[in-house]
Amino acid sequence: MGGGAVDDGAAKPPGRTMCLRRLARRILRWAAGCADRCFETVDVCMKIIGPFFVLLALVLFGFESYGFFFMLLPMLLESGEVGHAWVCMLGSSGAFLLVNLLYNYAMAICTDPGLPPEHTEADDPDVVELGREPVRLCKKCFREKPPRAHHCSVCKRCVLKMDHHCPWINNCVGYRNYRYFCLFMLYLAGCCLFLACVFLDAFLDTAFHPRREVDSASTCGSAFLWAGCWRCASWLP
């Protein structure tokens, strides 16, 4: 009899332990709620500052394009180091890269990445009878969720074959604009490589011999090469 009473008393958890558990659960819930609010704030800020990133990119493109076509090429002609044919070839190559860069950049921004269809078979018994797998649904927007479809917390929608949300285009990279985004990255790297090949000698001369007197074309070429490399690196993941 005495042993049974002792066992019953030992089976009851102490009150202090229960209070600590409840306190820990409340703290965890509070921390999870704070983390969710922080993530939501970051997503809202990303959506707000997205147009400013696009504007910054266009300013960089315009700055380098104006400097290359209206400053560097005339300087090369005036210096007499290259002929008109070489300058025309450089101008044509730069214009080709620039047009493709801007076209694919605009298409990556304006093209919808892809929206999954609405679910219409939520209560259809034929899904089970025909042996088909039930369709997955997004828990946030309640649309169908095919493989590789994800819900973007910034755009507040599901995206087909979502890769990531890019603030530089203020849009998600998904099924329909993935090609334009990849081509944009390709032509962006091509523009930077083009500047590196054209002004590599001037860049090396300015970088390793800073006290030597150099002409304005070499100085400007080095500056634009630095700017182009920084621009390309800013888009790397």
Side-chain angles (χ1 to χ4, degrees), residues 97-117:
L97 292 172
L98 179 63
V99 168
N100 283 278
L101 172 73
L102 294 178
Y103 171 77
N104 288 284
Y105 185 59
M107 293 300 294
I109 294 174
C110 300
T111 304
D112 187 274
L115 182 66

Side-chain angles (χ1 to χ4, degrees), residues 197-211:
C197 294
V198 173
F199 299 107
L200 182 60
D201 293 337
F203 168 73
L204 294 177
D205 193 17
T206 306
F208 293 101
H209 304 284
R211 296 184 179 180

Side-chain angles (χ1 to χ4, degrees), residues 19-119:
C19 292
L20 291 176
R21 289 179 180 177
R22 291 174 182 175
L23 179 62
R25 290 171 185 168
R26 291 177 181 176
I27 293 175
L28 290 176
R29 291 173 184 172
W30 176 82
C34 291
D36 291 338
R37 294 187 184 93
C38 291
F39 287 132
E40 290 177 359
T41 304
V42 171
D43 293 337
V44 172
C45 293
M46 287 289 292
K47 192 63 178 179
I48 294 175
I49 66 176
F52 294 98
F53 275 94
V54 175
L55 181 61
L56 176 60
L58 294 176
V59 169
L60 287 174
F61 297 153
F63 168 73
E64 294 196 29
S65 300
Y66 176 82
F68 178 77
F69 290 105
F70 297 99
M71 293 178 61
L72 294 179
L73 292 183
M75 286 180 184
L76 289 177
L77 276 177
E78 293 176 0
S79 64
E81 297 179 357
V82 295
H84 287 77
W86 178 251
V87 173
C88 290
M89 187 184 71
L90 290 178
S92 301
S93 301
F96 172 79
L97 292 172
L98 179 63
V99 168
N100 283 278
L101 172 73
L102 294 178
Y103 171 77
N104 288 284
Y105 185 59
M107 293 300 294
I109 294 174
C110 300
T111 304
D112 187 274
L115 182 66
E118 296 183 357
H119 184 61

Side-chain angles (χ1 to χ4, degrees), residues 135-155:
V135 180
R136 292 193 308 160
L137 295 180
C138 177
K139 297 180 180 180
K140 296 181 179 180
C141 63
F142 302 103
R143 286 182 173 269
E144 293 186 7
K145 197 172 184 181
R148 293 184 58 190
H150 298 283
H151 188 89
C152 178
S153 58
V154 179
C155 299

